[in-house]
């Protein structure tokens, strides 16, 4: 397994149009990992993102998405925080290109199989990939072949998708990290942690000691904060709770994927 032992075991989950290097730097005292993005990296995903902007959503739409990713990761190269970048793509080839950039910066390439916006799903991005596990695994294999550390952002409660089984297939294809939005099915984290030895990051509703403890007890190796990522008080509570949990679960710091 790739060494993903970052501290504290708190990550920032990407927020479209908001999660850039400056956002990560502002939270660096409280987290050990930040997923930038999401970034649309091919024509189909960019057209979908443009339609999202037209209806008032924030999106990253630089003229050159690969140069943008390179600049953002470069800005974090000397920061005491591990970086990753969440990307959307309706085609496989651009995944390889951005994964190579991530490998150059020792960053994590995160495939977005999570977004449920209709425009993105219609383009074949985001949640659509969960319904097409074969294509998702091809994306993962393509990224892993570059030597990059690969994460996949997953979502629970997608009708017809057996998420633990899908997580197992994705890990077998080369995903080192499974970033799980548990929605209202927090127990899915335990099912996924029991299915694979990938590094599991639990997301959704992480605000305080109760949510941190629940996810870590379920077997997550780390937790991630989404919407409140710009609120230092929330990040401080989450970090303190995470540090306290690992202080009393010593094996959790040395055996990622085993549930502590």
């Amino acid at each position: 397994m790739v060494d993903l032992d970052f501290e504290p075991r708190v990550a920032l989950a990407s927020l479209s149009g908001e999660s850039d290097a400056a956002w990560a730097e502002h939270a660096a005292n409280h987290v050990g990992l930040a997923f930038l993005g999401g970034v649309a990296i091919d024509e189909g995903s960019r057209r979908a993102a443009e339609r999202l902007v037209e209806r008032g959503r924030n999106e990253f739409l630089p003229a050159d998405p690969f140069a943008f990713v390179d600049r953002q990761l470069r800005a974090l190269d000397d920061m005491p925080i591990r970086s990753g970048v969440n990307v959307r793509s309706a085609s496989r080839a651009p995944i390889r290109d951005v994964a190579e950039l991530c490998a150059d910066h020792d960053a994590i390439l995160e495939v977005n199989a999570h977004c449920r916006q209709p425009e993105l799903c219609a383009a074949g991005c985001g949640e659509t990939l969960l319904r097409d596990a074969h294509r998702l695994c091809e994306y993962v294999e393509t990224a892993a072949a570059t030597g990059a550390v690969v994460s996949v952002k997953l979502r629970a409660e997608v009708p017809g998708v057996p998420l633990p089984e899908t997580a197992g297939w994705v890990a077998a294809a080369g995903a080192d990290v499974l970033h799980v939005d548990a929605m209202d099915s927090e127990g899915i984290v335990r099912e996924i942690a029991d299915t694979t030895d990938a590094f599991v990051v639990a997301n959704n509703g992480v605000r305080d000691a109760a949510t941190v403890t629940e996810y870590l007890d379920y077997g997550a190796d780390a937790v991630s904060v989404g919407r409140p990522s710009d609120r230092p008080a929330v990040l401080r509570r989450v970090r303190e709770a995470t540090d306290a949990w690992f202080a009393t679960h010593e094996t959790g710091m040395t055996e990622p994927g085993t549930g502590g």
Side-chain angles (χ1 to χ4, degrees):
M1 176 182 291
V2 173
D3 181 10
L4 290 173
D5 193 21
F6 60 89
E7 291 186 35
R9 290 283 189 91
V10 180
L12 300 178
S14 62
L15 301 171
S16 296
E18 300 177 33
S19 300
D20 58 9
W23 162 86
E25 289 179 19
H26 288 153
N29 289 335
H30 307 292
V31 304
L33 169 64
F35 288 104
L36 311 183
V39 183
I41 60 172
D42 76 332
E43 184 177 352
S45 60
R46 286 175 64 82
R47 285 200 304 266
E50 288 167 356
R51 289 192 288 273
L52 290 173
V53 170
E54 288 172 359
R55 65 177 175 89
R57 290 180 61 90
N58 292 329
E59 292 290 335
F60 290 119
L61 282 169
D64 184 338
F66 302 102
F68 174 77
V69 168
D70 186 48
R71 287 195 303 272
Q72 296 300 310
L73 294 178
R74 191 178 303 279
L76 294 176
D77 279 345
D78 296 325
M79 292 291 296
I81 181 173
R82 185 141 194 189
S83 58
V85 58
N86 177 291
V87 299
R88 305 163 176 159
S89 185
S91 53
R92 187 169 53 166
I95 295 289
R96 180 188 60 248
D97 296 335
V98 76
E100 289 175 347
L101 283 174
C102 288
D104 288 344
H105 290 280
D106 193 27
I108 300 171
L109 182 283
E110 182 166 89
V111 177
N112 186 316
H114 171 268
C115 285
R116 56 183 172 178
Q117 299 301 321
E119 295 88 344
L120 290 165
C121 290
C125 304
E127 187 181 283
T128 303
L129 287 168
L130 286 181
R131 302 179 186 277
D132 188 352
H134 177 73
R135 188 160 64 97
L136 177 55
C137 287
E138 288 183 333
Y139 279 31
V140 171
E141 290 169 352
T142 298
T146 68
V149 176
V150 182
S151 172
V152 178
K153 183 73 180 290
L154 306 166
R155 179 190 294 280
E157 300 182 358
V158 178
V161 175
L163 194 60
E165 289 89 342
T166 300
W169 298 330
V170 166
D176 306 290
V177 183
L178 299 174
H179 190 177
V180 184
D181 183 344
M183 301 295 287
D184 293 320
S185 301
E186 291 84 356
I188 198 71
V189 171
R190 181 181 296 282
E191 295 182 52
I192 291 172
D194 288 345
T195 298
T196 173
D197 64 356
F199 190 100
V200 176
V201 180
N203 171 257
N204 196 290
V206 176
R207 304 286 189 276
D208 53 25
T211 52
V212 167
T213 300
E214 180 178 30
Y215 282 133
L216 296 179
D217 282 347
Y218 276 141
D221 298 292
V223 296
S224 73
V225 179
R227 292 295 167 192
S229 59
D230 60 350
R231 294 164 55 187
V234 172
L235 295 178
R236 187 178 303 111
R237 285 200 304 270
V238 170
R239 176 181 181 166
E240 289 173 352
T242 303
D243 287 346
W245 192 95
F246 280 111
T248 58
H249 296 72
E250 292 183 357
T251 57
M253 297 299 288
T254 58
E255 298 292 336
T258 63

